[in-house]
Amino acid sequence: MYAIIDGGVTPKGRVRVSGAKNSATRLLSAALLSDDVVELSNFPTRLVDVSHKVKFCERLGADITVNHENEHVIVRAAALQSKKLTREEFDIPIRTTYLLAAGQVIRSGVARVPYPGGCPIGGGSGGGRGYDLHVMVWEALGGKVIERDDHIEVAAPDGFVGGSINFPISTVGGTENALLCASVAHGRTQIFNAYITPEVEDLIALLRRMGADIAVFGTSHIVVEGRGGKLAGARMPVMTDRIEALTWVVYAILAKGEITIDHVPFSSMQVPLVHIEQAGVDLLKSSRSIHVTPDCLTSGIVQPFELACGAHPGIISDMQAFYVMLGLAASGTSRIFDYRYPERIAFVHELAKLVEGDHLQAERGKITVHGPATFKSGVADSTDLRGSMAAVIAALCAPGQSKILNVQMALRGYNDLHGKLSKLGARVSIFEENA
């Protein structure tokens, strides 16, 4: 899949931030823990990752109704069972496949889940973020794990049993998996060194509504009193996407547009917005919206900056690419460090193809940006989800026609991206076939 972008158009209008990708697919997995109806509103139904996960759950017997117009999902998982599928059916390009284990184990005593796919942002198995910590979770809760040729098999004939999980590093995915499995396990589970992001808090909120007994102590210790079986039904809205909100802010600044961004989750992105304001951008904010115009630049240009990506509540690694973009508009040298995923630099080489001159330097854990830079039309490939979106923004800002290859990576994280860009005046055409 690729996109043809006629750039140089100044964006103008309103854009509504959708439900968070990094929460929605997790809540969908939680919904599988009940035989009752689970309804999720503000759901980003048009995400590519959502489509893949819904189809896989339906193959296992779940009944899922997706309403694109109302951004609403209804899950009925009473008929879900673990099944032996073909290699092609197990081949789904998303990372959160391991979260599908708990829903199968409580019904079949065994789970068969695809190997995690997703963005190859570093070296090593599974794109640098392997599944060893998930194996640790299942084994800590009494499961027997077998790595088959085309899937992972988790056997717990009598269900998961509470235990102690002490993560060697803080992990979002491992914390989510532990929460799901522990909620339906027999007995108490203690989770140490948990990584509690806003999206994890959203998952905890839904599990509690479904009847799970979860207590959080401090910022990294969770105790779960397992129900020993299925949870109840519930209704809940998906939290709004903080990464999408940041994306629109940066796009508006770079394109010198006038964009009102609605449904901004201020409580989960205070530090990222502070860094933008400290770079000389006076954001016009209401209780739910941000209005960005060229007048927001207090001195007429972005000021250079240095920042480090790490754990929430700071700037997370998924936001790194957009601060690199912001640095291209700055008057001077900016440096962006990433201590969590230091290998996440492949996108810089592709982004440079859409920038006039030599303004970008990347080494392990550090990206240096010499601004200000001018964008140019060209052809760039997508290396990961956020890097793909950075290339899309560069093409939108560049005069002339550009081509972004493998643009489906951006579509994995931005609900109705084409529709939102069109409403802002952008000229984007997406083609299904390979370029």
Side-chain angles (χ1 to χ4, degrees):
M1 184 181 292
Y2 66 98
I4 298 295
I5 298 175
D6 293 307
V9 177
T10 302
K12 188 173 184 178
R14 305 185 76 96
V15 62
R16 179 183 177 276
V17 181
S18 296
K21 163 194 176 284
N22 288 341
S23 176
T25 52
R26 282 67 166 174
L27 300 190
L28 187 60
S29 298
L32 303 180
L33 303 183
S34 175
D35 282 349
D36 302 328
V37 174
V38 177
E39 297 186 32
L40 301 171
S41 57
N42 195 41
F43 200 97
T45 58
R46 291 180 172 86
L47 289 182
V48 173
D49 276 20
V50 167
S51 175
H52 286 304
K53 199 159 194 175
V54 166
K55 289 178 182 177
F56 188 83
C57 292
E58 289 176 337
R59 289 178 192 145
L60 299 181
D63 178 8
I64 302 177
T65 302
V66 179
N67 187 320
H68 293 295
E69 183 177 353
N70 295 328
E71 297 188 341
H72 194 83
V73 169
I74 300 175
V75 182
R76 301 176 179 87
L80 185 140
Q81 293 289 327
S82 179
K83 296 180 180 179
K84 293 183 179 180
L85 303 175
T86 65
R87 180 179 295 273
E88 291 72 23
E89 289 174 317
F90 273 123
D91 185 18
I92 58 176
I94 61 174
R95 293 211 62 82
T96 57
T97 55
Y98 41 77
L99 301 184
L100 299 170
Q104 296 179 55
V105 165
I106 57 175
R107 294 179 176 89
S108 306
V110 64
R112 299 176 179 90
V113 298
Y115 284 99
C119 295
I121 62 173
S125 62
R129 294 178 296 178
Y131 49 87
D132 55 312
L133 296 180
H134 302 290
V135 173
M136 186 187 87
V137 167
W138 294 321
E139 291 180 341
L141 301 183
K144 180 180 179 182
V145 181
I146 302 175
E147 299 179 42
R148 305 290 187 186
D149 287 341
D150 53 2
H151 69 277
I152 303 171
E153 186 173 293
V154 185
D158 299 319
F160 289 120
V161 179
S164 179
I165 301 169
N166 192 348
F167 290 115
I169 60 171
S170 59
T171 162
V172 173
T175 300
E176 293 164 340
N177 194 12
L179 282 166
L180 293 172
C181 295
S183 293
V184 296
H186 300 273
R188 172 181 290 187
T189 297
Q190 300 225 38
I191 307 170
F192 300 97
N193 200 25
Y195 188 8
I196 305 174
T197 65
E199 292 80 11
V200 170
E201 290 174 341
D202 218 30
L203 175 61
I204 291 173
L206 178 60
L207 290 171
R208 283 173 171 165
R209 291 192 186 199
M210 296 173 67
D213 185 351
I214 302 172
V216 178
F217 301 93
T219 60
S220 62
H221 182 203
I222 302 173
V223 177
V224 184
E225 301 289 349
R227 288 285 298 269
K230 300 164 192 169
L231 304 181
R235 296 179 180 177
M236 198 180 90
V238 179
M239 66 172 287
T240 310
D241 197 319
R242 54 185 171 144
I243 305 171
E244 182 188 349
L246 177 69
T247 304
W248 295 120
V249 170
V250 172
Y251 172 44
I253 295 169
L254 290 172
K256 299 179 174 61
E258 296 186 14
I259 301 179
T260 299
I261 305 153
D262 294 320
H263 286 215
V264 177
F266 287 106
S267 62
S268 64
M269 55 185 305
Q270 294 174 345
V271 174
L273 291 179
V274 164
H275 277 277
I276 289 181
E277 291 171 334
Q278 290 180 344
V281 183
D282 185 13
L283 298 173
L284 305 176
K285 295 179 284 189
S286 68
S287 60
R288 296 295 305 275
S289 302
I290 295 177
H291 185 59
V292 185
T293 74
D295 292 336
C296 289
L297 295 180
T298 55
S299 61
I301 196 165
V302 176
Q303 301 301 314
F305 56 88
E306 288 193 3
L307 58 84
C309 301
H312 176 78
I315 295 171
I316 60 174
S317 185
D318 276 350
M319 297 176 174
Q320 176 207 60
F322 307 112
Y323 287 96
V324 172
M325 297 296 292
L326 189 66
L328 288 169
S331 178
T333 299
S334 300
R335 296 176 181 84
I336 298 93
F337 302 87
D338 192 338
Y339 300 124
R340 189 162 183 83
Y341 295 115
E343 303 294 341
R344 196 171 195 164
I345 57 176
F347 76 94
V348 176
H349 175 74
E350 295 301 321
L351 179 61
K353 297 176 181 178
L354 302 174
V355 178
E356 291 278 8
D358 185 13
H359 292 270
L360 292 163
Q361 298 171 353
E363 56 188 279
R364 189 179 188 275
K366 176 184 175 183
I367 300 171
T368 304
V369 187
H370 304 288
T374 302
F375 294 105
K376 66 178 182 179
S377 58
V379 179
D381 201 355
S382 302
T383 59
D384 64 277
L385 192 163
R386 308 303 169 183
S388 179
M389 191 61 204
V392 168
I393 291 175
L396 290 167
C397 295
Q401 189 174 90
S402 297
K403 179 185 289 186
I404 307 301
L405 307 177
N406 292 306
V407 76
Q408 70 272 10
M409 289 194 178
L411 301 181
R412 287 184 50 230
Y414 293 88
N415 191 50
D416 191 25
L417 178 59
H418 183 266
K420 290 178 179 179
L421 287 172
S422 297
K423 289 179 181 178
L424 295 175
R427 297 190 293 262
V428 180
S429 300
I430 296 177
F431 299 88
E432 293 288 338
E433 67 271 20
N434 292 326

